[in-house]
Amino acid sequence: MSRILAIETSCDETAAAVIENGRVILSNVVATQIDLHRRFGGIFPEVASRQHVLSIYPVIQQALDEAGVTNVQTLDSIAVTHGPGLSGSLLVGVNAAKGLAFASDLPLHPINHLAGHIYSNWLDDSSPHLPALPNPVNGDSLLGEGTIARADGADESAVRVSEQDFPMLILIVSGGHTELILMHGHGRYERLGGTLDDAAGEAFDKVARLLDLGFPGGPIIQEAAQKGDPTRFALPKPLWQNPDHRYNFSFSGLKTAVLNLTRQLEKDGQSLNSPELKADIAASFQQVVTEVLVAKCADAATAYAVRRVCLCGGVSANAQLRKAAEERFQALNIPLTIPPIYLCTDNAAMIGAAAHFLDLPPEANGRGLSVDVYANLPL
């Protein structure tokens, strides 16, 4: 049995969680900064790191309280994201974890953020959790009301991943990463391909800005696309059936195609202020991204005869992507696992799960002070 306090501050969410045996979520607290960065149309790194400083200890304390942990020394270890991510943001979480590990004489596990997303699929979505406590951070900085260890509408029958599913295919789709990973065992990754430029999440944000829809782009594009016609505009499918880039992705050209489309529409006298026009562009864009992601993932899954496919990362919360993936892999008779939406975006529960299953040699007290942050840490 293990109980791990996990900390995640790789971007703009300050998160802490207590995880038991790599699967049971005893608490999972996330303080989001979306409202702070909306005015900039994207993440402002310096603002993010300063907000982490304000939020980190209240969030950790709330996670401990909700898990019923009255003494940090009763835990088995501490895990923290040390990359990839924004250096300033990562430093806040790592230094907080170092301080706790040193003071409590607990081992410290530095965890790769991408590994965390992968292990979000190992968490038990039916985990019990304590009632939410009042938010310790002022305003709307917390996502929801305290703990989000369970989400309304979550699929209680969802099958979690186990060792019997190796080899499995992982599609990581987030704001900064789009990668296809063949996972042979715990910590044994083979990168099949990834984005050559923009990640899928970046493309969503940039297209949302082009259409003046707001930030963050993922949920806003999805909302607009629900009212649009995905067949109205024929946008290019990047690296579609390209033998030289069978498992690679590219979304920069797709973003440019949307830009050129908007300019042409304006030349033709059409107003981009039209909600109907924006909806059709959003739907057409979302349709192409979904088709490319699912097609390349399905191609790799059949080529490598995997036992399971897992989607993870913020973009895996997209409703159309989830539906298209479910339909495709059901037809291929390949089991598919996608985390509940609240575990798709950055959270600390996934970091605690990764620390348990990876069973990495911990950085013990004293040596833990050598843990550093790496903005471009590879998986």
Side-chain angles (χ1 to χ4, degrees), residues 158-214:
V159 177
R160 296 297 96 192
V161 177
S162 72
E163 284 78 2
Q164 296 178 348
D165 294 315
F166 294 129
M168 67 181 74
L169 182 70
I170 313 292
L171 174 62
I172 305 174
V173 275
S174 67
H177 302 274
T178 301
E179 300 190 37
L180 269 176
I181 305 294
L182 185 62
M183 190 174 179
H184 299 279
H186 291 303
R188 296 171 54 202
Y189 313 113
E190 179 183 350
R191 187 178 186 273
L192 302 181
T195 182
L196 303 180
D197 39 61
D198 287 352
E202 288 180 279
F204 271 95
D205 286 340
K206 290 176 179 178
V207 169
R209 271 201 299 272
L210 284 174
L211 300 178
D212 197 25
L213 291 174

Side-chain angles (χ1 to χ4, degrees), residues 35 61 64 89 133 152 164 171 186 193 239 299 308 334 370:
D35 289 340
Q61 187 61 60
L64 293 172
S89 295
L133 299 177
D152 293 339
Q164 296 178 348
L171 174 62
H186 291 303
L239 300 184
D299 183 15
R308 182 174 293 275
I334 300 175
S370 66

